[in-house]
Amino acid sequence: MATGMTPSSVVHLIRPQAADNVGGADLHLLDLVEQQVGSGMRVTVLALGNDDYQRRLAARGALLAKVPPWWHPLFFPALAGLLRDEAVDIVHGHGYSADLAAVLGVRLTRCVSKAPAWTRRPAVVLTVHGFIRSTWSTRIRTAINEQCLRFADAIIATSRPETAHLTRMLPASDVYYIPNGIRMPAASDPRERAEPPRHLAFVGRLEPEKRPDLFLSVAARIAASHPDLRVTVIGAGSLARSLRSQAERLGIADKCTFTGLVADVDQRLSSVDVLVALSDSEGTPRAVLEAMAASVTVVATAVGGVPDLIADGRTGVLVPAGPVAAVAAERIQSLLADPPRLRAIGHAASQAVRSEFLVEDMAKRTLAAYDAVLSERSRSR
């Protein structure tokens, strides 16, 4: 275990999306692992499922924890043994299942260890990537997760509203606001095109809280006056089949391309004029950041951490959450009718990402949170 304030060893826990899907937290951790490995830290990841994701972690330099599956009776004893034997400084959970595993695993480590009190367990850091409260089941899982947060040494929130909420709910806890960071694409300068703007896109998980159905409704409204409109849906999820049926009902199936899960999002964004992100809830959405970095103008609902990313009218366009199809369609129509303004907003968005939301900055802020936790524990010995 590190003797100074800077950690030398961290174990991340995450339950990634299924193999045919990917979530923002999954991508966030891939980038964070790469940065931490590059800084010389020993980084181990326990990914609860999804062998493909584990291979991607290994490619970024992570060590993969060898423990039984998370549902196995020996899972928690094995996790506690891993944390004890590897002399881990930080255990970092990412998401509902991972946070629960992190808290229980560390508490078991404390129970079985015979070391002095201050060295019994690693420090627990839990990242809230964005709570989902859209259904009764997600509200229950969120409530359970909020209880897990009470046992953390530090909490990281990716949006300012969630940071404020957690600070009020857990006044004795250390809560840090650390937005997601991304890499700038190879080419992020404003693009000059001969053709008029006519390409809309959705990027993200095809799940109810992301509202891809609302995106198609907005696209249908715009298609009525733009017969050459192109519509692209990038992502996978439980709504994939119903969205294709919806496009048929709306009469825009011939304009729509459903790509499924793809690895070349940056390249596909290069032809997009407007990214439409009308989610009901968000943390700091990577899809929005990636589009902004690629100089694509974003029209998004003002939920979660989205207003942290977008200055309305300058680096994107914000619309209120709720039944916003008509409002969003009107805003998009005005952008398509004014190509110079559309390009100017996209360029300003790219500059904002470059100055505030790079992956290197995210990693440095996370390390600073680790340092603060270990420093506090050192003072309390």
Side-chain angles (χ1 to χ4, degrees):
M1 185 169 286
T3 56
M5 290 184 294
T6 299
S8 62
S9 177
V10 59
V11 171
H12 292 281
L13 286 85
I14 189 169
R15 187 175 185 185
Q17 297 292 320
D20 61 348
N21 205 345
V22 66
D26 305 342
L27 298 173
H28 167 97
L29 183 55
L30 287 172
D31 287 338
L32 182 58
V33 161
E34 186 172 43
Q35 292 291 313
Q36 291 180 340
V37 169
S39 71
M41 293 177 64
R42 177 183 174 87
V43 181
T44 304
V45 181
L46 174 53
L48 308 175
N50 192 338
D51 292 342
D52 178 66
Y53 184 70
Q54 294 187 50
R55 286 189 287 271
R56 295 176 69 181
L57 286 165
R60 301 289 180 104
L63 303 172
L64 302 180
K66 303 298 183 182
V67 300
W70 64 271
W71 42 263
H72 195 281
L74 295 180
F75 170 77
F76 283 108
L79 174 58
L82 168 72
L83 301 182
R84 180 192 63 229
D85 297 341
E86 295 293 332
V88 175
D89 298 310
I90 300 286
V91 175
H92 193 158
H94 301 265
Y96 293 154
S97 300
D99 290 354
L100 182 60
V103 167
L104 293 179
V106 168
R107 288 176 71 82
L108 280 174
T109 304
R110 182 175 59 185
C111 292
V112 301
S113 176
K114 297 181 180 179
W118 58 267
T119 60
R120 281 180 186 171
R121 64 174 181 84
V124 178
V125 177
L126 304 179
T127 291
V128 175
H129 290 277
F131 287 135
I132 301 173
R133 303 182 178 92
S134 56
T135 66
W136 66 268
S137 61
T138 55
R139 287 193 291 271
I140 290 174
R141 295 180 68 200
T142 294
I144 294 172
N145 189 250
E146 288 176 338
Q147 295 307 309
C148 286
L149 297 178
R150 298 179 185 277
F151 296 95
D153 294 288
I155 302 163
I156 294 173
T158 60
S159 73
R160 292 187 191 278
E162 208 68 73
T163 302
H165 165 72
L166 292 170
T167 300
R168 290 191 302 269
M169 185 182 75
L170 304 169
S173 299
D174 292 325
V175 183
Y176 298 88
Y177 165 59
I178 304 178
N180 287 332
I182 64 167
R183 287 179 175 78
M184 293 297 294
S188 59
D189 293 328
R191 295 153 296 166
E192 297 297 334
R193 299 181 188 153
E195 72 274 11
R198 57 187 178 89
H199 189 180
L200 309 183
F202 169 95
V203 178
R205 292 183 297 111
L206 306 185
E207 301 296 341
E209 68 274 7
K210 298 293 185 179
R211 298 309 305 270
D213 59 318
L214 189 54
F215 165 68
L216 290 183
S217 297
V218 170
R221 288 173 177 261
I222 296 171
S225 56
H226 289 74
D228 60 347
L229 187 72
R230 296 169 55 198
V231 180
T232 300
V233 178
I234 300 175
S238 64
L239 299 181
R241 181 175 298 180
S242 67
L243 290 170
R244 291 177 182 272
S245 298
Q246 181 186 0
E248 292 280 358
R249 293 194 305 272
L250 293 171
I252 58 171
D254 61 325
K255 303 179 184 300
C256 293
T257 300
F258 294 86
T259 71
L261 190 63
V262 298
D264 59 343
V265 174
D266 286 350
Q267 294 180 24
R268 293 175 185 267
L269 284 172
S270 65
S271 65
V272 171
D273 297 300
V274 180
L275 180 89
V276 186
L278 303 178
S279 301
D280 288 335
S281 63
E282 281 292 357
T284 306
R286 286 180 62 98
V288 168
L289 282 174
E290 289 169 351
M292 293 172 66
S295 299
V296 176
T297 297
V298 177
V299 175
T301 41
V303 297
V306 176
D308 299 334
L309 311 181
I310 293 176
D312 186 28
R314 188 171 66 84
T315 59
V317 175
L318 297 176
V319 296
V324 298
V327 175
E330 179 185 349
R331 301 285 175 83
I332 295 169
Q333 293 268 30
S334 67
L335 289 169
L336 297 180
D338 190 351
R341 177 169 175 256
L342 180 72
R343 306 296 180 227
I345 291 176
H347 176 60
S350 177
Q351 296 303 110
V353 172
R354 191 183 298 277
S355 63
E356 300 180 59
F357 301 106
L358 295 181
V359 65
E360 294 85 358
D361 297 326
M362 179 265 291
K364 289 177 183 177
R365 292 166 183 157
T366 302
L367 181 59
Y370 291 174
D371 290 349
V373 170
L374 295 181
S375 178
E376 178 63 28
R377 293 185 66 187
S378 178
R379 288 194 296 269
S380 63
R381 290 175 186 175

